[in-house]
Amino acid sequence: MVNHQETVGDSILFSRVSLQGDCCGKQGLLSMIIDYYSHTEYRPTREQIERDRFVFFGLIRCQPWMVIPAGILIQFCYGSVYAWSIFNSPINRLVAANPDEPNKGSAEITFYIALGVLGLTGAIFGPWIETNHPRKSGIIGLVVFFSGHLTSALAVYMRMISLLYFGYGLVAGIGLGIGYVSTIDAVSKWWPRARGTASGCAVMGFGGGSLAFSAINKWLIDNTNLPLTFLILGSINFAVMLISVQFICPPPPGHNPDGVVVVDEGDETTAATTTRHAFGRDGADAEKGRRPRALAALPSAAQRQTLSVSLAEALQSRDYWLLYMAFLANIVFCLVVISNLPRLIDGLFGMGARNPRQPPLPAYIAVSIEGAFNMFGRVLVGVMSDLLGRKTVFLLLLAAQIVVLVFVPIAIHAGSFWGFLGLVWAATICYGGGFGMIPAFLSDMFGINNTSSCHGIILTAWSIASIAGGLAFTGIVNNFLAHGAHAYDERIYAVNFAWMLAVVLIGFVCCLFVRASIRDRMFPALPNQILRLRVFGRVFRVLGVRAGRSGASAEEPCADSSRQRCRLRTRFAEFEYLTKAEEQAAWEEYLTLRAVQHRLMTEHAAG
């Protein structure tokens, strides 16, 4: 396979002009992996498209709204994994001859394994999920998830903790990873103009499951036994998901843009090009001495001018990994707090406090309310991202957590129980909101065909944050306690919140440098450019002063921001804030150069 490559900045954008070459026979492991991560497009047959017009075993005509309640119910069942803490004490008492030694705490490892496998599964199976029917991957996910519950029932019956790690941690974790990614991305594809809202609604089900199954698991354990609890729980989940997945199907061809749309944000026109379609027209304009036209936004998604980006190309972009770091930073604080909130409440404001007392609100109620804020944040932030833009909202989430982490130690020092809980609940909205909007963010940046794959890989940040963050928090606490500190010692939490604050600050900076627009990623840097950012929809850049241009500083005031450029020149650098008109002129000049370059290379290949 021969690919024509065009390198722009640090992104490599491919225009496939020939599909035959001398590497077709070299199918080594590396080439197979590259090929697997380079083709992530679902290509249904005409017969499959006709079958997808009806759902629920072909009895009901498919309607776009149906996928949202179906997705919520499926995610609700998968969310039962977050209620695992209810099983810890009963399992530890069952498998250990002495409930305190030596196996105390061994059941908790199951939860960490499941989350770690979830992220790894999403990263491995993401391309396969994208290239197959979502109902197929959904059914496989729920069957594997159910098998994990059956294996877990056998494990607790035989009192084998290693079999429990395999059954619920590995097997159920694989099913969870496949089902989580396939469901959310299938739902979001039906709503190209409201992806944040759609994915937020679907992920809301996951938060609801974590809230509801805490009570369900407790009731089953109290009224049956552990093996039967896993059997009943797995059977309920299997039945609900098997019915719900029958309403999951892909949208018809042309429902979504075939690639990433190149949009002039804040304008009513779409200045777009594509390596597969638009260069011919732009080249003709260039040949006649005209600039490419600003193309009016077309009503049909299938007709909008786009740029095709493969998964392999997306993963070569620094913007993906900057977003990865921002996502990890957004979830690390609440992942630690979710698993330790009862401990924090008891040690700081309850019976373990300096002055032992009953806290104003029982810990289990505080955890339930936190789950409600988690659910609410997933939908709220998804809607906000559709209205205000993904990057803007993500920066707001990280900024809010910075404020929380600054004031939480102050609330602890002041002994303010409600201040502490209020800050934690506010951060929980940000935590849930990150999960709600990240599928839409990835779809906007790298195309709908890469959503499952990019989403699956970025979920490994979930695994890293939960495991590494939890171990770091616990390690610091245990170190202080081993040196004579008490659970109410403020230093323990000051140190923990300090490293979390550093992580969130790094994530904020990373998000600031994410080029969320395909135009920003394509636009070539000037030879002396040091930095370029988009601030309030306009380009801000810093240029190094060339030799011979240094001197007294000069400033051009910005009286009318819509018509005049802001420029500040110092001895070492120039600072420019471009107007929309200046940016558009430079963009059209760049498109002309790309069109001419493409025509010359095509003529050279033909000759």
Side-chain angles (χ1 to χ4, degrees), residues 134-473:
R135 193 178 302 131
K136 177 181 178 180
S137 56
I139 291 175
I140 291 176
L142 69 90
V143 169
V144 176
F145 192 61
F146 179 54
S147 301
H149 281 78
L150 296 181
T151 310
S152 300
L154 179 62
V156 294
Y157 177 78
M158 299 180 67
R159 302 188 180 188
M160 293 178 60
I161 194 70
S162 58
L163 185 59
L164 182 66
Y165 295 160
F166 173 79
Y168 200 94
L170 179 62
V171 177
I174 292 174
L176 178 62
I178 294 174
Y180 182 89
V181 173
S182 64
T183 304
I184 293 174
D185 297 334
V187 171
S188 66
K189 287 177 181 177
W190 275 100
W191 305 89
R193 297 187 181 277
R195 288 196 184 105
T197 303
S199 60
C201 288
V203 180
M204 178 189 69
F206 198 88
S210 66
L211 181 63
F213 277 98
S214 296
I216 295 173
N217 293 351
K218 182 70 166 59
W219 187 89
L220 287 172
I221 293 172
D222 292 341
N223 291 276
T224 60
N225 55 58
L226 276 175
L228 191 56
T229 295
F230 279 106
L231 286 175
I232 295 173
L233 185 63
S235 300
I236 293 173
N237 287 337
F238 180 81
V240 173
M241 289 193 288
L242 185 61
I243 295 174
S244 301
V245 79
Q246 302 305 321
F247 293 91
I248 300 294
C249 66
H255 191 80
N256 289 279
D258 182 23
V260 183
V261 181
V262 186
V263 185
D264 185 8
E265 299 177 359
D267 202 344
E268 296 180 355
T269 61
T270 301
T273 185
T274 172
T275 56
R276 294 185 294 178
H277 304 297
F279 275 129
R281 172 165 42 188
D282 292 341
D285 287 342
E287 200 173 55
K288 297 176 183 178
R290 300 197 302 265
R291 288 180 176 176
R293 300 182 298 276
L295 304 173
L298 299 173
S300 171
Q303 294 176 307
R304 298 173 70 184
Q305 298 294 316
T306 60
L307 183 73
S308 179
V309 180
S310 74
L311 174 64
E313 295 153 8
L315 296 181
Q316 292 177 25
S317 170
R318 76 164 189 258
D319 302 285
Y320 181 85
W321 298 105
L322 288 172
L323 184 59
Y324 185 101
M325 289 300 302
F327 179 68
L328 188 151
N330 185 65
I331 62 179
V332 65
F333 170 65
C334 279
L335 274 174
V336 173
V337 170
I338 284 173
S339 58
N340 290 281
L341 187 56
R343 178 180 186 175
L344 291 171
I345 290 175
D346 181 72
L348 294 171
F349 307 101
M351 299 307 296
R354 188 186 303 273
N355 299 313
R357 60 192 183 278
Q358 289 295 333
L361 186 71
Y364 73 93
I365 296 180
V367 172
S368 298
I369 295 174
E370 183 183 38
F373 277 105
N374 189 350
M375 290 175 55
F376 175 69
R378 294 169 189 246
V379 180
L380 174 66
V381 173
V383 174
M384 289 176 58
S385 72
D386 286 332
L387 299 175
L388 304 179
R390 318 289 184 210
K391 180 176 177 179
T392 300
V393 173
F394 217 104
L395 286 170
L396 290 175
L397 299 183
L398 292 166
Q401 293 205 59
I402 291 172
V403 173
V404 167
L405 283 163
V406 168
F407 283 95
V408 159
I410 297 175
I412 292 175
H413 180 73
S416 174
F417 174 80
W418 293 110
F420 169 78
L421 271 189
L423 290 168
V424 169
W425 290 339
T428 303
I429 293 177
C430 302
Y431 167 80
F435 283 101
M437 69 172 289
I438 198 66
F441 205 162
L442 293 169
S443 178
D444 291 348
M445 289 181 62
F446 303 111
I448 196 69
N449 291 330
N450 293 321
T451 305
S452 295
S453 307
C454 291
H455 190 198
I457 293 174
I458 211 169
L459 287 180
T460 58
W462 192 1
S463 306
I464 293 172
S466 62
I467 297 173
L471 291 176
F473 179 89

